[in-house]
Amino acid sequence: MSGTELDYIHSAFAENWIAPLGPNVNAFEAAISSHYQEKRQIAALSSGTAALHLGLEILGVGAGDEVLCQSLTFSASANPIVYLGASPVFVDSEWETYNMDPVALEMAIESRIKAGVKPKAIVAVHLYGMPYQNDRITQIAQRYDIPVLEDSAESLGSHIDGVPCGSFGDIAILSFNGNKIITTSGGGALVCRSEEHKKRAIYLATQARDEAPHYQHSDIGYNYRMSNILAGIGRGQMEVLADRVASRRKNYTSYKEELAKYEEIDFLEEPEGYFSNRWLSTIMTPSFEIREKIRLGLWEENIESRPMWKPMHLQPVFQKNQYYGGEAAEGIFDRGLCLPSGSNLTEQDLDRVLNQIHKIMKS
Ligand SMILES: *Cc1c(COP(=O)(O)O)cnc(C)c1O
């Protein structure tokens, strides 16, 4: 925490705004909005998953539709597609950013159109804070006139040529879950390009009430708005976003400086003009065996590291869904490792991790 969160929470208590609306919610939305140079309308919600659900609905996704989704991601990118009665069609990653492969994306679009089902939307993700290849993805999406939902849950503070992640898609989502770069304990937001989209999001997030003195409903609604208490935490967190990004990037630099000398350990460099918040520091190894040797060696010293996201097309729950691409996503999963990456890691913590990796690499 930054230290100012409690002041904002106290003001919610003092003013008795204990509700899923209020001054903290408005101010938190304004703070997020001012993070973007171009005008963006923010709807603060109960989670990133809720934001994905509403974002897809606002883009017009419904029962029977197909949605193209990056396969290498957290399941929350794909699950809301199913909530809406639509089916995810998974797309491979490329090795420059680990994100959606534009070649596989175009192949998938062509193939689905040929089969008579034009995809309704594209869910592209900036994994671990590294921006996806926005120029190419957006160009393809526009050529086929398919809207992009930008999953920016892991990439608040990242940018391409100074343009912040969360402002590329037709609509974008953020997450403030406890593990993300800044947090409200649980929370999320929709980043909208129009007032109309924001209004629609808040309408749906507050049980879709018609304008009437009584309770009247013309749509199915949800209870997805953010609490005014939690928005108070968010206000304090926005003040330290830049510090958190600096801490995460420092972790990455420490790992890289010490470990790049090993032939078996590769780092994901930022392509020209790209800036990653380095939410998680990841390394790439030449094989599953070497990856596991490092992971288990760290575990022996009570240090947790984790394999990278298991691709959705390899998940039991999505066994029957279509997949386009090759074996990049699978290779990244098999050979990649997320190292301890908290913003609060001390020099001693980092030394402990590094010493153990040195030991493993020498054995
Ligand atoms: C965390 C995360 C989400 C979901 O956000 P929640 O706030 O946890 O619901 C969605 N997509 C990605 C890529 C995430 O990492």
Side-chain angles (χ1 to χ4, degrees):
M1 294 292 102
S2 72
T4 61
E5 291 88 353
L6 269 178
D7 297 335
Y8 294 118
I9 292 174
H10 277 138
S11 72
F13 275 73
E15 296 161 9
N16 205 25
W17 275 106
I18 315 298
L21 79 168
N24 280 336
V25 174
N26 297 339
F28 183 39
E29 289 179 342
I32 300 168
S33 176
S34 64
H35 174 73
Y36 296 101
Q37 298 108 335
E38 288 176 57
K39 190 103 185 78
R40 288 294 184 275
Q41 310 282 337
I42 311 298
L45 301 169
S46 53
S47 71
T49 310
L52 270 148
H53 191 178
L54 295 186
L56 289 166
E57 183 161 338
I58 288 168
L59 293 180
V61 174
D65 288 335
E66 288 189 357
V67 174
L68 298 167
C69 181
Q70 186 167 317
S71 184
L72 189 73
T73 185
F74 180 47
S75 64
S77 306
N79 286 340
I81 300 168
V82 181
Y83 302 167
L84 287 162
S87 310
V89 172
F90 294 110
V91 179
D92 201 5
S93 284
E94 37 77 6
W95 286 93
E96 263 70 52
T97 72
Y98 297 159
N99 297 312
M100 189 178 267
D101 178 2
V103 177
L105 171 64
E106 186 151 20
M107 206 160 65
I109 296 173
E110 288 281 351
S111 164
R112 298 320 297 151
I113 290 175
K114 248 187 218 140
V117 268
K118 186 177 167 185
K120 208 60 193 260
I122 297 165
V123 178
V125 191
H126 310 292
L127 280 187
Y128 308 115
M130 183 64 82
Y132 59 69
Q133 294 186 20
N134 178 52
D135 280 356
R136 297 178 65 194
I137 299 286
T138 301
Q139 211 176 47
I140 293 166
Q142 287 178 349
R143 188 163 353 115
Y144 291 93
D145 196 23
I146 303 172
V148 175
L149 188 151
E150 177 189 359
D151 182 343
S152 196
E154 303 178 2
S155 63
L156 185 59
S158 301
H159 53 80
I160 302 177
D161 295 323
V163 181
C165 287
S167 60
F168 302 142
D170 293 273
I171 204 161
I173 72 107
L174 303 173
S175 168
F176 307 109
N177 197 47
N179 58 341
K180 297 304 198 302
I181 190 129
I182 60 165
T183 179
T184 57
S185 72
L190 257 184
V191 183
C192 305
R193 284 173 179 264
S194 69
E195 185 70 40
E196 187 200 331
H197 276 180
K198 176 180 172 170
K199 274 202 182 129
R200 180 88 187 152
I202 291 175
Y203 162 76
L204 290 171
T206 52
Q207 307 288 20
R209 241 186 112 178
D210 291 341
E211 276 192 47
H214 52 274
Y215 281 87
Q216 178 172 301
H217 306 273
S218 306
D219 288 301
I220 297 294
Y222 309 92
N223 183 5
Y224 278 173
R225 198 71 164 119
M226 179 178 276
S227 152
N228 193 53
I229 309 285
L230 301 187
I233 304 177
R235 286 179 78 181
Q237 289 278 287
M238 278 308 280
E239 295 168 7
V240 290
L241 173 60
D243 300 338
R244 297 292 181 269
V245 172
S247 307
R248 301 271 171 160
R249 286 179 62 88
K250 196 171 149 286
N251 291 338
Y252 173 83
T253 308
S254 302
Y255 286 132
K256 198 178 142 192
E257 277 173 4
E258 286 276 329
L259 302 177
K261 65 180 179 196
Y262 297 111
E263 209 182 301
E264 298 92 343
I265 297 182
D266 273 334
F267 287 85
L268 186 69
E269 304 284 356
E270 289 157 327
E272 171 111 22
Y274 282 48
F275 180 94
S276 168
N277 67 14
R278 298 290 182 188
W279 173 58
L280 298 190
S281 289
T282 65
I283 54 172
M284 192 52 61
T285 69
S287 68
F288 174 77
E289 288 69 28
I290 293 173
R291 199 283 305 279
E292 280 299 271
K293 189 176 147 185
I294 298 173
R295 188 179 71 81
L296 295 170
L298 285 169
W299 189 241
E300 270 173 33
E301 272 299 300
N302 200 24
I303 299 167
E304 189 187 11
S305 61
R306 286 188 196 166
M308 293 170 59
W309 299 122
K310 177 169 180 171
M312 290 303 114
H313 73 279
L314 302 177
Q315 299 286 355
V317 70
F318 291 124
Q319 235 171 30
K320 296 205 176 83
N321 291 70
Q322 310 230 24
Y323 170 71
Y324 289 90
E327 290 176 354
E330 187 168 357
I332 294 165
F333 166 59
D334 277 345
R335 293 158 41 196
L337 189 66
C338 303
L339 296 177
S341 299
S343 304
N344 55 355
L345 285 181
T346 62
E347 288 291 331
Q348 291 91 310
D349 291 330
L350 282 166
D351 281 346
R352 216 179 119 226
V353 178
L354 287 166
N355 286 339
Q356 186 62 10
I357 297 179
H358 287 314
K359 233 197 253 169
I360 298 162
M361 297 313 289
K362 277 170 196 146
S363 72

